[in-house]
Amino acid sequence: MKTKLFGILAFAFLGFAHYWGLRVAPPDALMGDVYRILFVHVPAAWMAMLFFFLSFIGSIGYLIKRKNSWDQWAESTAEIGLVLTGLTLVLGSIWGKPTWGVWWTWDPRLTTTALLLIMYSGYLMIRKLISDPERRPKISAAIGLLTFLNVPIVYMSVKWWRSLHQVQSSPQTMDPVMVLPLRLGALALLAVCLFFLIVRLKIAKERAVREEGGSS
Amino acid sequence: MISFLSQTYWILTKDLKIEFRELYHLISVFLFGFLLLILLSFSLGSHPDLMKKIAPGLFWIAIFFSSILMLNSSFRREMEDGQWEGLLLLSIDPKALYLGKLLGNFLFLLVLEIGLLPFLVIFFDLSLNPSLLSILILGSAGIATVGTFYAGLITSFREGQILLPLLLFPMLVPVLLASVQATQYLMTDDPFGQQIIWVRLLIVFDFIFLLGSILLADLMFEEPQGGK
């Protein structure tokens, strides 16, 4: 019941933040209204990174503590991170078409994000493949850890290419009228993701209980 | 208790001996890489200048695909015939087993690459530079390090062999990128000394993943019941 209430509040907050971004914030001097996707796209990218990092923590936690709850944490956060990465790419494409004139280009930032999507899809696929509940967490933790190790390398290695994706604006270079809805949007998305995480962890726990009942 | 290094050496020589007794496996991997080079050069038409430019990329793609064939079968013998249990009974250190396998795969990759190089020179009209060897060594080390680890983790599952490239190739993107760029700068001219950046990336990648894989190697061989 509490979870449901939290979920409703989180979505209401998201709606409020987006109302701010869509209606209250002024249009951009160069891009007009197209820029408004920033209020969704940028928070999605931030949260995707955050959740992959949380998944990495989960993998480490499992390797140290060997508790299944860490493994469930790693899986749930990775799934949410994957959805957010997909969302980031789709939203970026929608913005790219009117701005750059193409849906997709092999820009380093875009390429690394797409690679993240493939890497974590592989990670989640291998999780589904291993039916042995005793071996699954160990192998997944190993793969999850190595997968994340690659993220900064990929990110840094392509920074040496020239990039089409614009450099991040800092709050100093942005109008405060636009910074506020961006921050609101990020916070709201975080709340929604936390709601997803709570629900997903519950599902993972129930699944684990069922697996234990089935195997013994 | 045999020392760690001699265990590694023992695993390595065991694999090498078997591999040279059944040479057909190594030969088929080589033929596969060779065919890939031919097919890639056919499919891209006959523009000598263009071919020269993209030759390093084609070469490394051929190596990547061939390496999957090699990696998929690198734990095959251990999975069959109950050899796994045998190794566990001998209480081999999992880290030594991993390192032995890694060295074996690394050597095979190097042999494969050096075998394919002459054809690269003939098909694409390239000139070779002796320092290419260092790039080959670093690149193969990267492929073998992550590849052996993943192969050990997942080939025991039925669908593991199909999944291996899916998991491995995205992981190896930095290796591919750096190897291709470094090879390219070596074969064409490099007025701004950019090659060293990519060589450095290869070294960093090899180091990080070697360390990570060795630390995690114990997980590969844990028995289902044997968890702490």
Side-chain angles (χ1 to χ4, degrees):
Chain A
M1 196 55 222
K2 256 187 208 161
T3 317
K4 215 176 229 173
L5 186 69
F6 178 61
I8 293 170
L9 281 177
F11 274 105
F13 185 23
L14 192 69
F16 170 72
H18 287 340
Y19 173 78
W20 200 294
L22 286 176
R23 301 290 308 178
V24 180
D28 183 75
L30 292 173
M31 286 188 268
D33 283 330
V34 178
Y35 94 99
R36 288 183 197 279
I37 205 142
L38 153 114
F39 298 126
V40 206
H41 173 72
V42 174
W46 285 348
M47 292 305 134
M49 291 294 158
L50 175 68
F51 274 82
F52 284 147
F53 182 67
L54 291 178
S55 176
F56 172 63
I57 302 276
S59 296
I60 295 182
Y62 179 80
L63 289 176
I64 296 171
K65 298 273 181 197
R66 301 286 171 134
K67 289 244 172 62
N68 279 333
S69 50
W70 282 103
D71 179 58
Q72 290 159 7
W73 172 269
E75 180 183 24
S76 310
T77 45
E79 272 181 17
I80 297 171
L82 191 69
V83 171
L84 288 166
T85 311
L87 193 70
T88 308
L89 286 174
V90 171
L91 290 169
S93 278
I94 294 174
W95 177 86
K97 183 66 185 165
T99 319
W100 295 339
V102 284
W103 291 109
W104 183 262
T105 164
W106 293 107
D107 161 83
R109 181 62 73 79
L110 275 63
T111 312
T112 43
T113 315
L115 276 172
L116 269 185
L117 196 77
I118 302 171
M119 281 182 195
Y120 277 93
S121 306
Y123 165 70
L124 289 172
M125 250 199 283
I126 197 86
R127 296 194 61 103
K128 292 278 177 278
L129 209 82
I130 308 173
S131 50
D132 182 353
E134 296 276 337
R135 281 183 77 190
R136 188 197 302 129
K138 284 170 206 155
I139 293 179
S140 327
I143 293 184
L145 205 139
L146 284 190
T147 303
F148 187 81
L149 279 189
N150 219 358
V151 172
I153 297 181
V154 169
Y155 189 79
M156 291 312 289
S157 66
V158 288
K159 272 208 153 179
W160 296 318
W161 289 351
R162 276 193 304 147
S163 174
L164 183 62
H165 192 284
Q166 55 253 68
V167 187
Q168 301 90 320
S169 319
S170 69
Q172 283 79 39
T173 61
M174 268 174 87
D175 195 302
V177 199
M178 294 174 185
V179 174
L180 181 66
L182 180 61
R183 286 195 174 144
L184 279 180
L187 268 179
L189 192 65
L190 179 62
V192 170
C193 289
L194 286 179
F195 165 67
F196 284 154
L197 182 60
I198 294 167
V199 175
R200 185 60 186 81
L201 282 173
K202 255 185 205 166
I203 297 172
K205 281 208 177 72
E206 276 166 21
R207 232 180 240 171
V209 170
R210 204 178 306 156
E211 254 175 8
E212 255 167 46
S215 64
S216 63
Chain B
M1 193 63 209
I2 321 162
S3 79
F4 182 79
L5 280 179
S6 58
Q7 281 185 21
T8 310
Y9 179 73
W10 182 77
I11 293 277
L12 174 65
T13 45
K14 164 185 95 72
D15 278 4
L16 289 182
K17 262 182 210 157
I18 299 175
E19 209 61 57
F20 280 109
R21 261 178 223 158
E22 306 173 359
L23 256 182
Y24 68 90
H25 180 239
L26 203 57
I27 292 175
S28 62
V29 172
F30 174 77
L31 281 179
F32 181 71
F34 175 69
L35 255 179
L36 266 177
L37 269 188
I38 292 188
L39 288 178
L40 286 171
S41 62
F42 276 171
S43 66
L44 291 164
S46 52
H47 307 283
D49 288 340
L50 177 73
M51 296 303 266
K52 252 187 192 175
K53 259 184 208 155
I54 57 176
L58 299 184
F59 174 68
W60 281 101
I61 285 288
I63 295 296
F64 262 59
F65 281 133
S66 320
S67 74
I68 282 293
L69 272 191
M70 188 178 286
L71 291 166
N72 256 336
S73 56
S74 74
F75 284 88
R76 182 171 42 100
R77 281 185 211 91
E78 274 74 8
M79 300 297 163
E80 291 165 359
D81 313 334
Q83 280 197 25
W84 202 256
E85 286 77 9
L87 286 174
L88 285 171
L89 277 175
L90 284 170
S91 69
I92 290 272
D93 189 335
K95 292 181 170 54
L97 178 53
Y98 167 71
L99 270 181
K101 286 273 172 195
L102 161 66
L103 284 174
N105 283 329
F106 169 69
L107 286 178
F108 289 143
L109 266 177
L110 214 55
V111 168
L112 173 73
E113 284 161 3
I114 292 171
L116 285 179
L117 270 183
F119 298 101
L120 193 75
V121 174
I122 295 167
F123 292 158
F124 300 96
D125 185 27
L126 291 166
S127 53
L128 288 184
N129 187 326
S131 54
L132 183 63
L133 192 66
S134 60
I135 299 169
L136 292 184
I137 289 175
L138 287 172
S140 339
I143 300 174
T145 305
V146 188
T148 310
F149 186 75
Y150 271 42
L153 273 187
I154 67 172
T155 40
S156 58
F157 302 103
R158 202 154 37 87
E159 298 87 343
Q161 300 214 330
I162 296 171
L163 262 178
L164 185 62
L166 266 177
L167 277 174
L168 192 59
F169 284 161
M171 290 288 290
L172 288 178
V173 164
V175 175
L176 180 69
L177 195 67
S179 307
V180 170
Q181 297 283 345
T183 314
Q184 204 146 36
Y185 283 122
L186 201 67
M187 290 186 164
T188 58
D189 49 338
D190 181 16
F192 300 108
Q194 280 170 293
Q195 194 210 5
I196 189 70
I197 300 175
W198 300 104
V199 173
R200 246 183 249 150
L201 174 66
L202 275 176
I203 295 173
V204 167
F205 184 96
D206 290 355
F207 180 72
I208 290 179
F209 280 91
L210 186 64
L211 208 67
S213 307
I214 290 178
L215 284 176
L216 295 171
D218 297 12
L219 290 169
M220 238 190 270
F221 310 107
E222 260 178 40
E223 282 291 89
Q225 312 86 309
K228 283 170 214 163

